[in-house]
Amino acid sequence: MSSPRVNKQAGFPNQVEHRFTAGVQGSQNAPEINALLPELAKSIQNKQGFVYLLDGSSASPMANFVNRLQNMEALDIGNGCRIVGAFRTPEAIASVYSPQWTLQVYDSALEVSFEIPVTEVPLNNINNPANVTAQLLHVKNCMDSHLRALPEAFKDSPACPAIICPQNPRLAQLITAQEECLGRQYRGELHCKEGIEWIYAAEETLKTISPENPHFVGEESVDFESFFTRNGLHAFAKHQVPFSIALAGENANDPVYIRAFKRHIPNAEPHTRTTPASKKPAPALNWLAPRNQGLAFKEPQLQMQCASQAINCLLQRHEVRPENVASFMVQQKLQMLGRLEITTDTQVGLMHPTILQAISQGQSATISRADFLGTTPDEICIATELPPTQSWRQLINIGAVERNQNWVQHADELSAIDQMTITPEDWLSVQRGTEMRDLLALVNTTLTNSRQPHQPHSMSHLNTRTQSQAIARQEDRARKFIEHGKDFPIIIRTGQQSGHYFTIVPDQHGNWLGLNALGTSITGVQPCEIFCRAGQLAQTLQRMNATDILVPTPQLQSRN
């Protein structure tokens, strides 16, 4: 019998590509990565990585592979791509669902190195049919984390991560059918409202995925129906994702949106909802008139600078700069250390006293590698949630990109760097993000110093999950603000922890322009995508899983 193989089947609509373990015969042991690499190479070249399902009693195939890589300068996998390194996810930041490994892959055509996730999913009694429901649910959570870890530029690639399970090929096929149907449901191609509809849709995909076994066997249909019910997938039959990926913002980091936008189909723009005739629109003020033409100020995407970009979009001018945000964040982190009664004298990495003093003054800091790493280079800093070794490596990568260097051709030179000058922008780029409470404080400090009478005098925080009634009132509040000659910008946070921030602003007719940085390479007034039409704000925020918003405080009086 032939050994299990990774296969790509034709016939998936909308350019989607799936790779998975084909056939019906499983192997007793989990094969080594080297044996599968010729077939996994395409998924790595596509920057999608792979998900390896294996029996919980098996040793980690990736551990052996990574050990071998350490003795090699690089491993050519074809199409100009080489694996130049690999590392295990630090235990301090890993979870039961997250990718355990990262491959560092250099693409000579793009002249860029990428970090590609690899997820091993050990499953107890992998061939036991009684475990399939639990396996479907667990692997879906692992896939969520894997998709989030994909390189940003390849999240919406029609190529999907390979799903391999040499010990039980049928499970890889079921997971592939599950992923294909999730993408269709999220994108609006499916409208399954009942479990039986989900079963029919999944079995239809099995005809393509598993022609040798195209129908559900035993309790597999029950397992799929349980998966549908437990994940609340009926709710996605009611709403489609935005008609443009640009409107997803960094919701593009939400696995719902990643799966949906791998499906490259045109999605019809929502119908315009007209303003009721009984409501007279406000006069087209100078600051408001361009929005009626779909024009507003926004800035290009910069690493870890969505906080300053969101504020500048709120102000509709480039005022807050990286050094302003970096200085503010230093003060916030110092206050946190103070509350914990931790002195700064012993801090290393990004929190080294030399660096903090310079960044707090908007200046650059020069520091040696030894001082930066200190005596505990792999210990995670409580203030930055990063170990100094990782921070140092990221800082080197920033400089390497600017000098057109890479770890394949310049590894010795980059490894030998023993001193570095860190700018406020560099320091900010390596941070893990800005907390909502810090952003709110920075926004209100900035507005206090602003002199634009049409702008809000301050912003307030609303949680979308616990304050849904207040969220529903925001469009009516925005209309009243516009009638009084006041702007009503909203800053949205998506994702967990610090997440991603972007701003939306209303036009004269109640439609909302999305000012997310995605898709622009210039700073200034420019055409912007419609975030949502009038009357659709609350449901759009809910559909995109926005966690928090900042809105103008409920006062209309002008400032002095």
Side-chain angles (χ1 to χ4, degrees):
M1 292 184 183
S2 60
S3 60
R5 66 192 186 280
V6 179
N7 199 6
K8 171 198 167 226
Q9 300 278 0
F12 295 104
N14 302 313
Q15 305 180 39
V16 174
E17 295 180 14
H18 289 287
R19 296 175 184 277
F20 50 90
T21 306
V24 296
Q25 182 65 40
S27 59
Q28 183 175 358
N29 299 312
E32 295 291 331
I33 300 298
N34 279 349
L36 299 172
L37 195 58
E39 295 173 307
L40 292 176
K42 188 64 177 179
S43 192
I44 300 173
Q45 294 164 7
N46 289 337
K47 318 301 184 289
Q48 300 298 304
F50 56 91
V51 177
Y52 197 142
L53 313 179
L54 67 158
D55 190 82
S57 63
S58 301
S60 166
M62 273 299 294
N64 293 333
F65 180 67
V66 171
N67 287 336
R68 291 193 182 117
L69 277 178
Q70 292 176 349
N71 300 319
M72 304 172 64
E73 183 174 340
L75 178 61
D76 193 333
I77 58 172
N79 284 349
C81 292
R82 287 179 285 176
I83 301 176
V84 297
F87 59 88
R88 182 190 286 270
T89 304
E91 291 185 5
I93 60 175
S95 76
V96 68
Y97 303 122
S98 61
Q100 296 89 350
W101 305 93
T102 299
L103 297 177
Q104 296 168 305
V105 178
Y106 177 72
D107 189 323
S108 61
L110 300 176
E111 298 184 341
V112 176
S113 291
F114 296 92
E115 293 190 343
I116 312 300
V118 174
T119 303
E120 285 182 327
V121 186
L123 299 167
N124 293 330
N125 298 320
I126 196 169
N127 288 291
N128 188 343
N131 294 338
V132 173
T133 295
Q135 290 168 348
L136 294 178
L137 293 167
H138 180 72
V139 175
K140 188 265 184 185
N141 290 331
C142 294
M143 285 296 300
D144 286 352
S145 295
H146 187 98
L147 292 169
R148 291 190 193 99
L150 296 178
E152 292 296 330
F154 294 88
K155 279 186 165 68
D156 66 337
S157 166
C160 299
I163 300 171
I164 59 173
C165 187
Q167 293 168 296
N168 184 358
R170 180 61 170 180
L171 182 58
Q173 295 158 20
L174 292 176
I175 298 295
T176 301
Q178 173 175 287
E179 285 296 307
E180 172 67 8
C181 288
L182 283 173
R184 294 185 189 184
Q185 182 84 347
Y186 294 153
R187 194 70 170 94
E189 297 171 73
L190 289 178
H191 299 275
C192 299
K193 300 177 183 179
E194 302 291 341
I196 189 63
E197 296 174 308
W198 184 255
I199 291 172
Y200 287 151
E203 191 167 49
E204 188 68 24
T205 66
L206 284 176
K207 295 177 182 178
T208 298
I209 293 169
S210 181
E212 68 279 357
N213 199 359
H215 302 291
F216 282 131
V217 178
E219 299 296 312
E220 288 176 348
S221 62
V222 177
D223 298 320
F224 263 69
E225 184 173 22
S226 297
F227 174 85
F228 177 86
T229 302
R230 295 192 194 184
N231 281 279
L233 294 176
H234 64 281
F236 290 96
K238 303 174 184 177
H239 306 294
Q240 287 190 18
V241 297
F243 64 90
S244 167
I245 192 171
L247 298 185
E250 292 257 337
N251 244 348
N253 202 38
D254 185 323
V256 169
Y257 285 74
I258 296 172
R259 289 182 175 95
F261 282 111
K262 282 183 173 294
R263 315 191 67 78
H264 286 212
I265 59 176
N267 200 7
E269 182 175 350
H271 295 297
T272 301
R273 177 169 173 170
T274 58
T275 304
S278 59
K279 302 294 184 181
K280 293 183 178 181
L285 305 171
N286 290 336
W287 57 269
L288 182 61
R291 296 184 194 171
N292 298 332
Q293 307 301 318
L295 302 173
F297 173 96
K298 65 176 182 176
E299 301 178 328
Q301 178 80 46
L302 296 174
Q303 183 175 354
M304 297 308 296
Q305 294 181 27
C306 61
S308 61
Q309 291 166 344
I311 298 174
N312 287 335
C313 288
L314 181 152
L315 299 173
Q316 285 292 281
R317 63 182 183 276
H318 185 70
E319 181 169 312
V320 177
R321 292 168 170 77
E323 55 266 30
N324 304 131
V325 179
S327 176
F328 183 85
M329 287 184 63
V330 165
Q331 299 305 320
Q332 299 300 109
K333 291 180 184 295
L334 288 176
Q335 290 178 19
M336 183 191 74
L337 292 178
R339 289 192 297 270
L340 297 174
E341 298 183 351
I342 299 176
T343 64
T344 60
D345 297 343
T346 59
Q347 298 300 301
V348 295
L350 297 173
M351 295 296 290
H352 192 284
T354 299
I355 297 176
L356 295 184
Q357 182 178 2
I359 300 300
S360 66
Q361 298 173 2
Q363 300 174 355
S364 300
T366 299
I367 189 169
S368 69
R369 176 189 177 98
D371 287 343
F372 187 93
L373 297 181
T375 58
T376 55
D378 295 316
E379 185 174 308
I380 291 182
C381 170
I382 191 172
T384 64
E385 301 180 25
L386 295 171
T389 49
Q390 183 176 342
S391 301
W392 183 262
R393 175 85 173 206
Q394 290 179 354
L395 289 166
I396 289 177
N397 288 341
I398 292 172
V401 171
E402 294 172 351
R403 297 188 299 271
N404 292 321
Q405 293 178 317
N406 59 71
W407 284 95
V408 175
Q409 299 170 317
H410 310 93
D412 292 340
E413 183 179 346
L414 294 175
S415 298
I417 294 175
D418 60 3
Q419 182 172 289
M420 195 180 304
T421 297
I422 302 170
T423 67
E425 185 173 355
D426 295 337
W427 186 89
L428 191 63
S429 296
V430 184
Q431 296 295 321
R432 294 186 70 84
T434 306
E435 295 294 339
M436 174 58 80
R437 62 178 180 274
D438 297 333
L439 177 64
L440 177 60
L442 181 56
V443 167
N444 286 338
T445 298
T446 305
L447 286 172
T448 298
N449 299 324
S450 177
R451 294 293 182 266
Q452 298 296 321
H454 68 278
Q455 290 173 345
H457 63 80
S458 66
M459 303 287 281
S460 299
H461 169 247
L462 292 176
N463 182 281
T464 59
R465 291 175 172 81
T466 61
Q467 297 174 282
S468 58
Q469 292 183 347
I471 299 293
R473 293 193 295 267
Q474 296 311 305
E475 284 203 270
D476 188 55
R477 292 189 61 229
R479 178 183 57 78
K480 293 177 180 177
F481 266 63
I482 294 294
E483 289 176 353
H484 286 77
K486 288 277 194 176
D487 198 4
F488 199 89
I490 297 177
I491 294 179
I492 299 172
R493 177 172 79 168
T494 60
Q496 300 299 316
Q497 296 180 340
S498 55
H500 172 73
Y501 301 101
F502 66 97
T503 301
I504 62 174
V505 292
D507 68 11
Q508 189 178 5
H509 307 293
N511 303 313
W512 296 85
L513 301 182
L515 309 186
N516 203 307
L518 295 178
T520 184
S521 59
I522 62 173
T523 296
V525 176
Q526 55 195 286
C528 299
E529 299 277 1
I530 295 291
F531 175 76
C532 68
R533 298 291 178 176
Q536 299 177 348
L537 178 61
Q539 69 184 55
T540 302
L541 293 173
Q542 181 182 21
R543 185 169 67 246
M544 69 186 299
N545 293 323
T547 56
D548 303 87
I549 63 175
L550 297 182
V551 298
T553 51
Q555 299 176 36
L556 290 174
Q557 65 268 26
S558 299
R559 290 173 292 173
N560 294 328

